[in-house]
Amino acid sequence: MRTGLAFTGLSALILHGFGTEITADVTLTAVGDGVAVHVTAPETTVEAVARTVHLAALRAYAQE
């Protein structure tokens, strides 16, 4: 599954590591007047806080 997230009012962004793994766990949590986003992949962690997060794309495919 492929997902695209669009942020508005981004107030914090932290990126640890960088990898090519396309599989990640994504957690969205309400915090104050915004949303905290936490993305964890084998070699990468991304943390962000934004006023809003918009799910811009959601695609899935079958691997045969």
Side-chain angles (χ1 to χ4, degrees):
M1 185 177 303
R2 214 170 178 203
T3 304
L5 299 174
F7 301 93
T8 60
L10 190 64
S11 61
L13 178 65
I14 300 171
L15 172 65
H16 294 282
F18 186 80
T20 58
E21 180 65 42
I22 60 169
T23 302
D25 292 324
V26 178
T27 304
L28 304 173
T29 307
V31 57
D33 290 338
V35 181
V37 181
H38 189 84
V39 179
T40 304
E43 299 175 16
T44 308
T45 301
V46 178
E47 298 175 44
V49 177
R51 181 167 304 280
T52 64
V53 178
H54 174 75
L55 182 60
L58 183 62
R59 298 180 188 104
Y61 62 90
Q63 185 177 13
E64 297 179 24

